[in-house]
Coordinates of all heavy atoms in Angstrom, one line a residue:
H11 N 27.8 50.3 -15.0 CA 27.0 51.5 -15.1 C 25.9 51.4 -16.0 O 24.9 52.1 -15.9 CB 28.0 52.7 -15.5 CG 28.9 53.1 -14.4 ND1 28.5 53.7 -13.2 CD2 30.3 53.0 -14.3 CE1 29.5 53.9 -12.4 NE2 30.6 53.5 -13.1
S12 N 26.0 50.6 -17.0 CA 24.9 50.5 -18.0 C 23.8 49.5 -17.5 O 22.8 49.4 -18.2 CB 25.5 50.0 -19.4 OG 26.1 48.7 -19.2
G13 N 24.1 48.8 -16.4 CA 23.0 48.0 -15.9 C 23.2 46.5 -16.3 O 22.3 45.7 -16.0
M14 N 24.2 46.2 -17.2 CA 24.3 44.8 -17.6 C 24.8 43.9 -16.5 O 24.4 42.7 -16.5 CB 25.4 44.8 -18.8 CG 24.9 45.5 -20.0 SD 26.2 45.5 -21.3 CE 26.2 43.8 -21.7
I15 N 25.6 44.4 -15.6 CA 26.0 43.6 -14.4 C 25.5 44.2 -13.2 O 25.9 45.4 -12.9 CB 27.5 43.4 -14.4 CG1 28.0 42.8 -15.7 CG2 28.0 42.6 -13.2 CD1 29.6 42.7 -15.7
A16 N 24.6 43.6 -12.5 CA 24.1 44.1 -11.2 C 25.1 44.0 -10.1 O 25.7 42.9 -9.9 CB 22.8 43.4 -10.9
P17 N 25.3 45.0 -9.3 CA 26.2 44.9 -8.1 C 25.7 43.9 -7.1 O 24.5 43.8 -6.9 CB 26.3 46.3 -7.6 CG 25.0 46.9 -8.0 CD 24.7 46.3 -9.3
K18 N 26.6 43.2 -6.5 CA 26.2 42.2 -5.5 C 25.8 42.9 -4.2 O 26.5 43.8 -3.7 CB 27.4 41.2 -5.2 CG 27.7 40.3 -6.3 CD 28.8 39.4 -5.9 CE 29.1 38.4 -7.1 NZ 30.2 37.5 -6.7
R19 N 24.6 42.6 -3.7 CA 24.2 43.3 -2.5 C 24.3 42.3 -1.3 O 23.9 41.2 -1.4 CB 22.7 43.7 -2.7 CG 22.5 44.8 -3.7 CD 21.0 45.2 -3.7 NE 20.8 46.3 -4.6 CZ 19.6 46.8 -4.8 NH1 18.5 46.4 -4.2 NH2 19.4 47.8 -5.7
K20 N 24.8 42.9 -0.3 CA 24.9 42.1 1.0 C 23.6 42.0 1.7 O 22.9 43.0 1.8 CB 26.0 42.7 1.9 CG 27.4 42.6 1.3 CD 28.4 43.2 2.3 CE 29.8 43.2 1.7 NZ 30.8 43.7 2.7
N21 N 23.3 40.8 2.2 CA 22.0 40.7 2.9 C 22.2 41.3 4.3 O 23.3 41.6 4.7 CB 21.6 39.3 3.0 CG 22.6 38.4 3.6 OD1 23.3 38.7 4.6 ND2 22.7 37.2 3.1
T22 N 21.1 41.5 5.0 CA 21.1 42.1 6.3 C 22.0 41.3 7.3 O 22.7 42.0 8.1 CB 19.7 42.2 6.9 OG1 18.8 42.9 5.9 CG2 19.6 43.0 8.2
G23 N 21.9 40.0 7.2 CA 22.8 39.2 8.2 C 24.2 39.5 8.0 O 25.0 39.6 9.0
Q24 N 24.7 39.6 6.7 CA 26.1 39.9 6.5 C 26.5 41.3 7.0 O 27.6 41.4 7.5 CB 26.4 39.7 5.0 CG 26.3 38.3 4.5 CD 26.5 38.3 3.0 OE1 26.2 39.2 2.2 NE2 27.0 37.1 2.5
I25 N 25.6 42.2 6.8 CA 25.9 43.6 7.2 C 26.0 43.6 8.8 O 27.0 44.2 9.3 CB 24.8 44.5 6.8 CG1 24.8 44.6 5.2 CG2 25.0 45.9 7.4 CD1 23.7 45.4 4.7
I26 N 25.1 43.0 9.5 CA 25.1 42.9 10.9 C 26.4 42.2 11.4 O 27.0 42.6 12.4 CB 23.9 42.2 11.5 CG1 22.6 43.1 11.2 CG2 24.0 42.0 13.0 CD1 21.3 42.5 11.5
K27 N 26.7 41.1 10.8 CA 27.9 40.3 11.2 C 29.2 41.1 11.0 O 30.0 41.1 11.9 CB 28.0 39.0 10.3 CG 29.1 38.1 10.7 CD 29.0 36.8 9.9 CE 30.1 35.8 10.3 NZ 30.1 34.6 9.5
K28 N 29.3 41.8 9.9 CA 30.4 42.7 9.6 C 30.5 43.8 10.7 O 31.6 44.1 11.2 CB 30.4 43.2 8.2 CG 31.6 44.0 7.8 CD 31.5 44.5 6.4 CE 32.7 45.4 6.0 NZ 32.7 45.9 4.6
D29 N 29.4 44.4 10.9 CA 29.4 45.5 11.9 C 29.7 45.1 13.3 O 30.3 45.7 14.1 CB 28.0 46.2 11.8 CG 28.0 47.5 12.7 OD1 28.7 48.5 12.3 OD2 27.3 47.6 13.7
F30 N 29.2 43.8 13.6 CA 29.5 43.3 15.0 C 31.0 43.0 15.1 O 31.5 43.3 16.2 CB 28.7 42.0 15.2 CG 28.9 41.4 16.5 CD1 28.2 41.9 17.6 CD2 29.8 40.3 16.7 CE1 28.3 41.3 18.9 CE2 29.9 39.8 18.0 CZ 29.2 40.3 19.1
K31 N 31.6 42.5 14.1 CA 33.1 42.3 14.2 C 33.8 43.6 14.4 O 34.8 43.6 15.1 CB 33.5 41.5 12.9 CG 33.1 40.1 12.8 CD 33.7 39.5 11.6 CE 33.3 38.0 11.5 NZ 33.8 37.3 10.3
K32 N 33.3 44.6 13.7 CA 34.0 45.9 13.8 C 33.8 46.6 15.1 O 34.7 47.3 15.7 CB 33.6 46.8 12.7 CG 34.3 48.1 12.6 CD 33.8 48.9 11.4 CE 34.5 50.3 11.3 NZ 34.0 51.1 10.1
N33 N 32.5 46.5 15.7 CA 32.1 47.3 16.9 C 31.6 46.4 18.0 O 30.7 46.7 18.7 CB 31.0 48.3 16.5 CG 31.4 49.2 15.4 OD1 32.3 50.0 15.5 ND2 30.7 49.2 14.3
W34 N 32.3 45.2 18.1 CA 31.8 44.2 19.1 C 31.8 44.8 20.5 O 30.9 44.4 21.3 CB 32.7 43.0 19.0 CG 34.1 43.2 19.5 CD1 35.1 43.6 18.7 CD2 34.6 43.1 20.8 NE1 36.3 43.7 19.4 CE2 36.0 43.4 20.7 CE3 34.1 42.7 22.0 CZ2 36.8 43.3 21.8 CZ3 34.9 42.7 23.1 CH2 36.3 43.0 23.0
F35 N 32.8 45.6 20.9 CA 32.8 46.2 22.2 C 31.6 47.0 22.5 O 31.1 47.0 23.6 CB 34.1 47.0 22.4 CG 34.3 47.4 23.8 CD1 34.7 46.4 24.8 CD2 34.2 48.7 24.2 CE1 34.9 46.8 26.1 CE2 34.4 49.1 25.5 CZ 34.7 48.1 26.5
A36 N 31.2 47.8 21.6 CA 30.0 48.7 21.8 C 28.7 47.8 22.0 O 27.9 48.1 22.8 CB 29.8 49.6 20.6
Y37 N 28.6 46.7 21.2 CA 27.5 45.8 21.4 C 27.5 45.2 22.8 O 26.5 45.0 23.4 CB 27.6 44.7 20.3 CG 27.1 45.1 19.0 CD1 28.0 45.5 18.0 CD2 25.7 45.1 18.7 CE1 27.5 45.9 16.7 CE2 25.2 45.5 17.4 CZ 26.2 45.9 16.4 OH 25.7 46.3 15.2
M38 N 28.7 44.8 23.3 CA 28.8 44.2 24.6 C 28.3 45.2 25.7 O 27.7 44.9 26.6 CB 30.3 43.8 24.9 CG 30.8 42.6 24.1 SD 29.9 41.1 24.3 CE 28.8 41.0 22.9
L39 N 28.7 46.5 25.5 CA 28.2 47.5 26.4 C 26.7 47.7 26.4 O 26.1 48.1 27.4 CB 28.9 48.8 26.1 CG 30.5 48.9 26.4 CD1 31.0 50.3 26.0 CD2 30.8 48.7 27.9
A40 N 26.1 47.5 25.2 CA 24.7 47.7 25.1 C 23.9 46.5 25.7 O 22.7 46.7 26.0 CB 24.3 47.9 23.6
I41 N 24.5 45.4 25.9 CA 23.7 44.2 26.4 C 23.1 44.5 27.7 O 21.9 44.2 27.9 CB 24.6 43.0 26.4 CG1 24.9 42.5 24.9 CG2 24.0 41.8 27.2 CD1 25.8 41.3 24.8
P42 N 23.8 45.0 28.7 CA 23.1 45.2 30.0 C 22.0 46.2 29.9 O 20.9 46.0 30.6 CB 24.3 45.8 30.9 CG 25.5 45.3 30.3 CD 25.2 45.3 28.8
V43 N 22.1 47.2 29.1 CA 21.0 48.2 28.9 C 19.8 47.5 28.3 O 18.6 47.7 28.8 CB 21.5 49.4 28.1 CG1 20.3 50.4 27.9 CG2 22.7 50.1 28.7
I44 N 20.0 46.7 27.3 CA 18.9 46.1 26.6 C 18.2 45.1 27.6 O 17.0 45.0 27.6 CB 19.4 45.3 25.3 CG1 19.9 46.3 24.3 CG2 18.3 44.5 24.7 CD1 20.6 45.7 23.1
A45 N 19.1 44.3 28.3 CA 18.5 43.4 29.3 C 17.7 44.1 30.3 O 16.6 43.6 30.8 CB 19.7 42.6 29.9
W46 N 18.1 45.3 30.8 CA 17.4 46.0 31.8 C 16.0 46.4 31.3 O 15.0 46.3 32.0 CB 18.2 47.3 32.2 CG 17.5 48.0 33.3 CD1 17.7 47.9 34.7 CD2 16.6 49.1 33.2 NE1 17.0 48.7 35.4 CE2 16.3 49.5 34.5 CE3 16.0 49.7 32.1 CZ2 15.4 50.5 34.8 CZ3 15.1 50.7 32.4 CH2 14.8 51.1 33.7
F47 N 16.0 46.9 30.0 CA 14.7 47.3 29.4 C 13.8 46.1 29.3 O 12.6 46.2 29.5 CB 14.9 48.0 28.1 CG 15.2 49.5 28.2 CD1 16.4 50.0 28.2 CD2 14.1 50.3 28.4 CE1 16.7 51.3 28.3 CE2 14.3 51.7 28.5 CZ 15.6 52.2 28.5
L48 N 14.3 45.0 28.8 CA 13.5 43.8 28.6 C 12.9 43.3 29.9 O 11.7 42.9 30.0 CB 14.4 42.7 27.9 CG 14.8 42.9 26.5 CD1 15.7 41.8 26.0 CD2 13.5 43.0 25.6
V49 N 13.7 43.3 31.0 CA 13.3 42.7 32.2 C 12.3 43.6 33.0 O 11.3 43.2 33.5 CB 14.5 42.3 33.1 CG1 14.0 41.9 34.5 CG2 15.3 41.2 32.5
F50 N 12.7 44.9 33.1 CA 12.0 45.8 33.9 C 10.9 46.7 33.2 O 10.1 47.3 33.8 CB 12.9 46.7 34.7 CG 13.8 46.0 35.6 CD1 15.1 45.7 35.3 CD2 13.3 45.5 36.9 CE1 15.9 45.0 36.2 CE2 14.1 44.9 37.8 CZ 15.4 44.6 37.4
C51 N 11.0 46.8 31.8 CA 10.1 47.7 31.1 C 9.2 46.9 30.2 O 7.9 47.1 30.3 CB 10.9 48.7 30.3 SG 11.9 49.9 31.2
Y52 N 9.7 46.0 29.4 CA 8.8 45.2 28.5 C 8.3 44.0 29.2 O 7.1 43.6 28.9 CB 9.6 44.9 27.3 CG 9.9 46.1 26.4 CD1 11.2 46.7 26.5 CD2 9.0 46.6 25.6 CE1 11.5 47.8 25.7 CE2 9.3 47.7 24.8 CZ 10.5 48.3 24.9 OH 10.8 49.4 24.1
G53 N 9.0 43.3 30.0 CA 8.6 42.1 30.7 C 7.3 42.3 31.5 O 6.3 41.5 31.3
P54 N 7.2 43.3 32.3 CA 6.0 43.5 33.1 C 4.7 44.0 32.3 O 3.6 44.1 32.9 CB 6.4 44.6 34.2 CG 7.9 44.6 34.1 CD 8.3 44.2 32.7
M55 N 4.9 44.3 31.0 CA 3.8 44.9 30.3 C 2.6 43.9 30.2 O 1.5 44.3 30.0 CB 4.3 45.3 28.9 CG 5.1 46.6 28.9 SD 5.6 47.1 27.3 CE 4.1 47.7 26.6
W56 N 2.9 42.6 30.2 CA 1.7 41.7 30.1 C 0.8 41.8 31.3 O -0.4 41.5 31.2 CB 2.3 40.2 30.1 CG 2.9 39.8 31.4 CD1 4.2 40.0 31.7 CD2 2.3 39.2 32.5 NE1 4.5 39.5 33.0 CE2 3.3 39.0 33.5 CE3 1.0 38.8 32.8 CZ2 3.1 38.5 34.7 CZ3 0.8 38.3 34.1 CH2 1.8 38.1 35.0
G57 N 1.3 42.4 32.4 CA 0.4 42.6 33.6 C -0.8 43.6 33.3 O -1.7 43.6 34.1
V58 N -0.7 44.4 32.2 CA -1.9 45.3 32.0 C -3.1 44.5 31.7 O -4.2 45.1 31.7 CB -1.6 46.3 30.8 CG1 -0.4 47.1 31.2 CG2 -1.4 45.5 29.5
L59 N -3.0 43.2 31.4 CA -4.2 42.4 31.1 C -5.1 42.3 32.3 O -6.3 42.0 32.2 CB -3.8 41.0 30.7 CG -3.2 40.9 29.3 CD1 -2.7 39.5 29.0 CD2 -4.1 41.4 28.2
I60 N -4.6 42.5 33.5 CA -5.5 42.4 34.7 C -6.5 43.6 34.8 O -7.4 43.6 35.5 CB -4.7 42.4 36.0 CG1 -4.0 43.7 36.3 CG2 -3.7 41.3 36.0 CD1 -3.3 43.8 37.7
A61 N -6.2 44.6 33.9 CA -7.2 45.7 33.8 C -8.5 45.2 33.2 O -9.6 45.7 33.4 CB -6.7 46.8 32.9
F62 N -8.5 44.0 32.5 CA -9.7 43.4 31.9 C -10.1 42.2 32.7 O -11.0 41.5 32.2 CB -9.4 43.0 30.5 CG -8.9 44.2 29.6 CD1 -7.5 44.4 29.5 CD2 -9.7 45.1 29.0 CE1 -7.0 45.4 28.7 CE2 -9.3 46.1 28.3 CZ -7.9 46.3 28.1
K63 N -9.6 42.0 33.9 CA -9.9 40.9 34.7 C -10.3 41.4 36.1 O -10.0 42.5 36.5 CB -8.7 39.9 34.9 CG -8.4 39.1 33.6 CD -7.2 38.2 33.9 CE -7.0 37.2 32.8 NZ -7.8 36.1 32.9
D64 N -11.1 40.5 36.8 CA -11.3 40.8 38.2 C -10.3 40.0 39.0 O -10.5 38.9 39.5 CB -12.7 40.3 38.6 CG -13.1 40.8 40.0 OD1 -12.4 41.6 40.6 OD2 -14.2 40.4 40.5

Side-chain angles (χ1 to χ4, degrees):
H11 288 292
S12 63
M14 296 177 64
I15 301 177
K18 293 182 178 179
R19 293 184 178 181
K20 295 182 179 180
N21 58 39
T22 306
Q24 290 176 331
I25 295 173
I26 295 175
K27 186 176 180 180
K28 183 179 179 180
D29 189 66
F30 183 80
K31 287 182 178 180
K32 183 179 179 181
N33 304 299
W34 65 271
F35 187 71
Y37 282 97
M38 292 296 103
L39 291 176
I41 287 176
V43 179
I44 295 172
W46 186 89
F47 274 99
L48 290 175
V49 173
F50 295 103
C51 295
Y52 291 99
M55 287 181 68
W56 65 271
V58 299
L59 290 176
I60 68 173
F62 305 95
K63 288 175 169 282
D64 191 7

